[in-house]
């Protein structure tokens, strides 16, 4: 039987980023990732040093926890990670949809899965140069093909500096069909340390001024709402 490596399941909270910002959601955070972004805010779901903290769950176990957290009331389930696309979430989505749950997935676009087509929202978040990772656009396009038939596919890019910004513009030119969301990078990812809200606002202002000053009117610029409200606290 399929089992899944799960780093954490939490909520209900609100989706803090991108197209579904503000939407009540339960997060299912898969354990394991094929990337090692220098600034990853979820290393507890990436680094195999944490794998002993990950649970091995069946799809029914996962949905039982989602049901418990949501009081059995259907809502949007956000599957994130780590990279959830290295595992088979098809059975979780099938069980959940049967009960009226909706599904979104966050992935970097390096691995494609047939179950992308079953999602309501696929968030593809290719990584800019500051991450230290390199996007394989061929694999990214394969993800988009697999997503045919899903509710919507969108692109979300983290921008730390001018080089990332230029890279995001080029990515947008490559995929003009994808609604684009930009968010400033958060360099302070230690869950034990508070986030400086003034600095977070300055980073957002910097990105807004880049976009408006450039006359680039297609992307939406958003903060990480959960970081503004809770800092880097886990499980929110
Ligand atoms: C933790 S990742 C997990 C899903 C998938 N591996 C990915 O990267 O898309 C979820 C989202 O958080 C973003 N993210 C990670 N670290 C961040 C940081 N320090 N500042 C801003 N966004 C960050 C990622 O770019 C991605 O869009
Ligand atoms: N509230 C909240 N919104 C989020 N959006 C993307 C997240 C993620 O880590 O994938 C995340 C998260 O961890 N919490
Ligand atoms: S791809 Fe996502 S989860 Fe993996 S290291 Fe990068 S930000 Fe973290
Ligand atoms: Mg996060």
């Amino acid at each position: 039987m399929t089992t899944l490596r799960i780093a954490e399941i939490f909520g209900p909270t609100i989706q803090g980023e991108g197209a579904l910002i503000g939407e009540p959601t339960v997060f299912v955070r898969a354990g394991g990732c094929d990337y090692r972004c220098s600034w990853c805010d979820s290393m507890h779901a990436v680094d195999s040093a944490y794998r002993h903290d990950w649970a091995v769950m069946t799809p029914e176990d996962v949905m039982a926890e989602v049901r418990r957290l949501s009081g059995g009331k259907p809502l949007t389930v956000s599957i994130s990670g780590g990279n959830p696309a290295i595992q088979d979430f098809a059975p979780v989505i099938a069980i959940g949809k049967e009960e009226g749950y909706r599904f979104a997935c966050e992935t970097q676009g390096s691995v494609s899965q047939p179950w992308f087509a079953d999602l309501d929202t696929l968030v593809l978040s290719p990584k800019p140069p500051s991450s230290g990772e390199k996007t394989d656009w061929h694999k990214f396009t394969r993800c988009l093909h697999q997503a045919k038939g899903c509710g919507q596919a969108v692109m979300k890019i983290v921008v730390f500096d001018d080089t990332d910004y230029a890279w995001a513009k080029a990515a947008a030119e490559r995929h003009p069909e994808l609604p684009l969301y930009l968010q400033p990078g958060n360099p302070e990812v230690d869950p034990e340390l508070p986030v400086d809200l003034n600095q977070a606002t300055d980073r957002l202002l910097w990105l807004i001024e880049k976009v408006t000053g450039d006359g680039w009117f297609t992307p939406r610029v958003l903060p990480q709402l959960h970081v503004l409200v809770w800092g880097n606290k886990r499980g929110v």
Side-chain angles (χ1 to χ4, degrees), residues 192-215:
E192 304 302 322
L193 297 178
V195 166
D196 185 322
L197 283 183
N198 289 321
Q199 287 182 23
T201 308
D202 284 349
R203 290 190 292 268
L204 181 61
L205 181 59
W206 170 78
L207 187 52
I208 292 170
E209 287 179 348
K210 288 291 288 186
V211 168
T212 54
D214 237 6

Side-chain angles (χ1 to χ4, degrees), residues 46-167:
V46 170
D47 194 336
S48 52
Y50 294 91
R51 71 182 181 280
H52 302 295
D53 299 334
W54 302 343
V56 176
M57 301 176 83
T58 65
E60 187 44 60
D61 293 337
V62 171
M63 273 313 300
E65 182 60 3
V66 169
R67 251 179 243 125
R68 188 185 72 77
L69 292 170
S70 61
K73 275 197 241 165
L75 83 179
T76 293
V77 178
S78 298
I79 304 174
S80 186
N83 186 1
I86 61 178
Q87 302 194 66
D88 183 10
F89 278 91
V92 172
I93 297 169
I95 298 167
K97 279 176 101 172
E98 197 62 30
E99 298 168 25
Y101 287 86
R102 297 172 298 278
F103 287 85
C105 173
E106 310 243 349
T107 182
Q108 60 266 42
S110 57
V111 179
S112 57
Q113 284 284 354
W115 52 262
F116 287 174
D118 306 330
L119 294 164
D120 296 278
T121 303
L122 176 66
V123 182
L124 291 170
S125 184
K127 296 298 174 270
S130 64
S131 69
E133 291 289 348
K134 199 166 161 33
T135 296
D136 180 332
W137 288 107
H138 181 70
K139 289 179 178 160
F140 186 91
T141 307
R142 214 179 291 157
C143 290
L144 272 178
H145 285 309
Q146 289 274 31
K148 286 234 165 66
C150 82
Q152 59 171 346
V154 302
M155 184 156 69
K156 178 174 71 178
I157 301 180
V158 173
V159 179
F160 272 82
D161 53 29
D162 287 328
T163 310
D164 286 357
Y165 178 77
W167 188 91

Side-chain angles (χ1 to χ4, degrees), residues 10 13-17 27 29 41-42 80-81 106 156 226 230 236:
F10 61 88
T13 179
I14 44 112
Q15 170 56 258
E17 303 176 9
F27 276 88
R29 195 183 295 286
D41 63 8
S42 303
S80 186
E106 310 243 349
K156 178 174 71 178
H226 54 113
W230 292 291
V236 287

